[in-house]
Amino acid sequence: MTNSPDATTGLSFLLYRSNAAPWLTNDDMRAILASARDRNRDLSLTGCLHHEAGLFFQWLEGPAPAVQEVLALLRRDRRHSALNILSSGPLEHRLFRNWTMRYSDRDQMSLMDWFAGSDSSTVNPQDYVRSVVSFLRMLPG
């Protein structure tokens, strides 16, 4: 598939949370990122992966068939479990157009601390999704 990353027709997105395998090492994370960046470049996908407190949060965007192809791969990947789709659907424009796979972890910025500092007593699912996306977009880099 060779769609341009600038193409906006037929774009979709996926935001999920999953449990990272407890045995993952820094070398495993580097391997995940290298393969994701290569695959995403080939499929015209962009996005962001955040790893913290045993969790992955990932935003993936691009042509709908490519997003679905990667979702199928993610569902079979033993490096995480309990994949929970927080939100998905059509997308008017990319949020991470310059990143084949942006990566962050607690060392750069803590999503958990960011949530702890917000009023989570009234968070509904849509607000939760917006909050995760807002956090991913404000990461340094």
Side-chain angles (χ1 to χ4, degrees):
M1 182 177 267
T2 57
N3 289 343
S4 162
D6 295 326
T8 57
T9 325
L11 286 178
S12 69
F13 77 95
L14 169 70
L15 175 64
Y16 75 84
R17 178 188 62 228
S18 65
N19 297 329
W23 47 262
L24 286 177
T25 65
N26 287 336
D27 287 341
D28 293 322
M29 290 305 302
R30 282 190 287 278
I32 288 169
L33 290 170
S35 65
R37 288 172 176 151
D38 289 344
R39 181 190 57 236
N40 289 356
R41 189 174 304 107
D42 292 344
L43 295 173
S44 295
L45 295 171
T46 52
C48 183
L49 175 65
H50 182 75
H51 177 231
E52 179 179 350
L55 297 171
F56 286 123
F57 288 85
Q58 183 173 1
W59 173 275
L60 190 62
E61 60 192 18
V67 170
Q68 291 306 308
E69 180 180 333
V70 172
L71 176 59
L73 293 171
L74 290 168
R75 289 188 186 280
R76 294 188 304 267
D77 192 326
R78 65 181 190 84
R79 295 172 293 190
H80 67 155
S81 62
L83 189 146
N84 181 14
I85 297 174
L86 302 174
S87 189
S88 65
L91 186 65
E92 289 186 29
H93 63 276
R94 292 177 188 261
L95 302 181
F96 296 94
R97 77 178 302 116
N98 297 320
W99 297 90
T100 54
M101 185 50 59
R102 185 179 194 182
Y103 175 74
S104 66
D105 61 16
R106 183 176 183 82
D107 291 342
Q108 292 169 307
M109 192 170 191
S110 172
L111 175 62
M112 302 309 143
D113 290 350
W114 190 71
F115 272 138
S118 66
D119 179 14
S120 59
S121 63
T122 60
V123 172
N124 65 45
Q126 292 83 13
D127 290 339
Y128 180 74
V129 167
R130 279 192 290 277
S131 293
V132 171
V133 173
S134 293
F135 174 83
L136 294 175
R137 291 187 74 189
M138 66 184 248
L139 289 167

